[in-house]
Amino acid sequence: QIMDKILPYTPHVSVVIPAYNAERWIKETISSVLDQTYDHSKLEIIVVDDESSDNSYSIAKQFETRAVKVFRQKLFSCPQLAI
């Protein structure tokens, strides 16, 4: 493996997914991260929902585990500011 040659260890990785009315894409987005071959014990996924008016938050909550954390925060009305 290339990573074994570059690093003598596997670092922890956090993936932050901002969501605002992302019902159409949130399931595919989270699944895509989970489908990576990266060591899941070293992977953390943080979904931050910006008070979506659709089902983004409830869909993301279906994935919640020790490694997948889902938060809802007050609306900033700009998806890029969800984190």
Side-chain angles (χ1 to χ4, degrees):
Q1 294 268 1
I2 290 177
M3 285 302 283
D4 293 338
K5 294 177 184 176
I6 297 171
L7 295 172
Y9 65 95
T10 303
H12 283 84
V13 173
S14 296
V15 178
V16 179
I17 302 171
Y20 178 73
N21 290 341
E23 177 180 58
R24 291 175 46 198
W25 308 282
I26 196 68
K27 181 178 180 181
E28 181 180 351
T29 301
I30 297 169
S31 294
S32 177
V33 176
L34 291 171
D35 288 344
Q36 300 302 308
T37 58
Y38 203 80
D39 180 356
H40 282 193
S41 69
K42 306 256 180 161
L43 180 65
E44 171 187 48
I45 301 171
I46 302 167
V47 180
V48 182
D49 179 76
D50 203 12
E51 253 185 347
S52 296
S53 59
D54 64 5
N55 291 317
S56 299
Y57 181 73
S58 61
I59 293 169
K61 289 292 276 183
Q62 294 173 10
F63 287 88
E64 199 163 46
T65 63
R66 196 175 125 266
V68 180
K69 297 172 180 60
V70 181
F71 300 95
R72 177 171 251 180
Q73 71 173 16
K74 187 174 177 166
L75 179 67
F76 282 122
S77 70
C78 180
Q80 291 79 11
L81 296 177
I83 55 173

